[in-house]
Amino acid sequence: MTDVVPFSELLRARTASRHGTSSGADFMTDLLRGTCEVDDYAQLVAQYWFVYRALEDAAGAMAGDAVAAPFVTTGTTRLPALESDLEFLLGDAWRDRVTPLAATREYVQRLETVAATSVGAFVAHHYTRYLGDLSCGRFISTLLQKHYGFDVNGVGFYVFAEVADPACFRATYREQLDAAPWTDPDKEAVVAEVALAHSLDTRLLDGLEADRRSRRAAAAAA
């Protein structure tokens, strides 16, 4: 008898991120090498503020659903940290200085219209964002602190103070994915939505890179 592959393993195998094939990879590579400007990083934080505001609104809408509820935890909430980072990076009036890119608006629209109404889509986006943040957050924050002189201020988004053991959290999360009563069509829908979530994030990073190049060109021409 063939062993059944746990859904979490299937999901991870079929939805590996492909950021390396896009121009957005240039943005993240330069950011983590320390060759971006602090303002470039502030633009990234700002775009993610729009994304996480929509995602965490969706979490509030889904918290009462029996399937979605196990995935909703305040320990991963990122919006307060993003707002604190933006205040540090852009000042008290940061809300007047941030504007979503076209790709960000597309991402937010998907979260508002699909993730807030479909349990499978919500879990797909929740999984994509938070497990990725927990997997890479410490590494990214260390490099940002090293290259841009940040202490804790400015990198709070990547610090999960309420998650004592990220590896244990991720393992539990995958157990919850496996325990959820997904039908085969449900599983396929989640896989497809995770792939879309990766694509939306790639487009956001591509937009940031295009914006960075545009600002550099304008500065050189001035």
Side-chain angles (χ1 to χ4, degrees):
M1 181 177 179
T2 303
D3 292 336
V4 176
V5 177
F7 179 52
S8 60
E9 292 184 18
L10 176 69
L11 182 59
R12 182 162 47 176
R14 290 182 56 189
T15 59
S17 176
R18 296 293 187 268
H19 290 328
T21 62
S22 78
S23 63
D26 295 336
F27 180 90
M28 290 305 298
T29 297
D30 287 350
L31 180 67
L32 298 181
R33 283 177 176 170
T35 57
C36 283
E37 302 293 333
V38 170
D39 188 57
D40 297 326
Y41 171 61
Q43 294 300 320
L44 171 68
V45 177
Q47 300 312 305
Y48 279 154
W49 176 74
F50 290 106
V51 169
Y52 281 83
R53 182 176 62 172
L55 180 56
E56 290 175 6
D57 281 349
M62 287 290 173
D65 182 90
V67 176
F71 300 96
V72 179
T73 169
T74 58
T76 57
T77 301
R78 297 291 85 203
L79 202 58
L82 285 163
E83 293 179 351
S84 179
D85 288 342
L86 286 168
E87 184 175 350
F88 173 77
L89 293 164
L90 299 176
D92 292 341
W94 64 266
R95 291 176 188 271
D96 298 327
R97 298 182 59 188
V98 299
T99 303
L101 299 170
T104 304
R105 291 195 296 270
E106 181 184 6
Y107 200 161
V108 167
Q109 183 179 33
R110 185 69 182 181
L111 292 169
E112 290 177 341
T113 59
V114 179
T117 57
S118 164
V119 173
F122 166 71
V123 172
H125 285 277
H126 193 278
Y127 163 87
T128 303
R129 290 255 50 105
Y130 294 114
L131 259 64
D133 297 337
L134 279 165
S135 296
C136 302
R138 185 172 297 178
F139 170 74
I140 292 174
S141 65
T142 297
L143 290 179
L144 292 173
Q145 289 170 320
K146 173 183 176 182
H147 293 310
Y148 302 100
F150 298 134
D151 188 5
V152 175
N153 291 329
V155 296
F157 170 61
Y158 296 103
V159 178
F160 287 79
E162 295 185 41
V163 180
D165 187 338
C168 181
F169 182 95
R170 292 194 299 270
T172 299
Y173 197 107
R174 292 187 177 104
E175 290 172 0
Q176 291 168 339
L177 284 171
D178 296 337
W182 309 111
T183 64
D184 287 341
D186 289 337
K187 292 177 182 179
E188 289 300 315
V190 172
V191 168
E193 194 69 23
V194 170
L196 176 60
H198 282 309
S199 177
L200 290 167
D201 189 52
T202 297
R203 289 178 221 168
L204 184 156
L205 294 173
D206 289 346
L208 282 167
E209 178 61 13
D211 182 66
R212 180 173 72 127
R213 292 176 182 176
S214 177
R215 285 186 284 111
R216 282 186 171 182

